[in-house]
């Protein structure tokens, strides 16, 4: 079962889904990164995958900075770099350990 949660990442309210919590620390975490086109968010991108993946893995699906229900930052300098740093800090704060990322082809550079 997926559960919507919030976490503060360096003062940014970050929305994410977590599923497969019994596998946390026992099996690798799968980090699902949604695409960054207009309207992109974890819920719509991964709603059909979360439960199936959670049967075997711990799964995290955060909304990128400025997308979905994560805080919006109105600063247009280094948007791509800021999103990468935000996700990196999310992973550190969640103390994920080993993980695999799964991204749509248009987001592969972010991974």
């Amino acid at each position: 079962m997926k559960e919507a949660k919030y976490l503060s990442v360096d003062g940014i309210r970050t929305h994410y889904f977590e599923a497969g919590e019994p596998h946390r620390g026992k099996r690798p975490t799968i980090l699902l990164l949604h695409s960054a086109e207009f309207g992109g968010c974890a819920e719509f991108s991964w709603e059909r995958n979360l439960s199936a993946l959670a049967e075997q893995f711990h799964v995290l699906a955060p909304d990128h900075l400025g997308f979905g229900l994560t805080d919006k930052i109105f600063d247009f300098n280094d948007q791509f770099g800021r999103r990468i740093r935000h996700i990196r800090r999310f992973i550190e704060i969640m103390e994920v350990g080993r993980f695999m990322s799964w991204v749509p082809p248009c987001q592969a550079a972010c991974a």
Side-chain angles (χ1 to χ4, degrees):
M1 180 172 121
K2 71 179 180 181
E3 183 179 350
K5 298 180 177 183
Y6 289 89
L7 172 73
S8 179
V9 176
D10 299 333
I12 297 167
R13 186 171 186 247
T14 302
H15 174 260
Y16 67 100
F17 286 100
E18 185 168 24
E21 288 185 75
H23 302 303
R24 185 180 182 130
K26 298 175 187 161
R27 296 188 179 178
T29 294
I30 295 181
L31 180 69
L32 302 176
L33 299 176
H34 66 79
S35 62
E37 77 269 355
F38 180 78
C41 68
E43 183 171 19
F44 297 138
S45 294
W46 304 115
E47 65 184 337
R48 299 185 193 279
N49 304 94
L50 282 167
S51 296
L53 289 169
E55 292 176 13
Q56 299 293 320
F57 300 98
H58 175 237
V59 183
L60 293 171
D63 280 333
H64 287 296
L65 177 63
F67 289 83
L69 298 176
T70 292
D71 282 350
K72 311 312 183 245
I73 303 282
F74 297 100
D75 177 1
F76 299 102
N77 295 316
D78 193 29
Q79 293 174 345
F80 187 69
R82 186 179 291 219
R83 275 201 323 261
I84 291 171
R85 289 188 299 276
H86 177 253
I87 292 297
R88 181 181 301 137
R89 286 291 295 142
F90 173 82
I91 294 166
E92 291 170 358
I93 291 167
M94 291 296 294
E95 299 178 339
V96 169
R98 287 183 5 194
F99 72 94
M100 298 176 281
S101 59
W102 186 357
V103 298
C106 59
Q107 268 313 95
C110 186

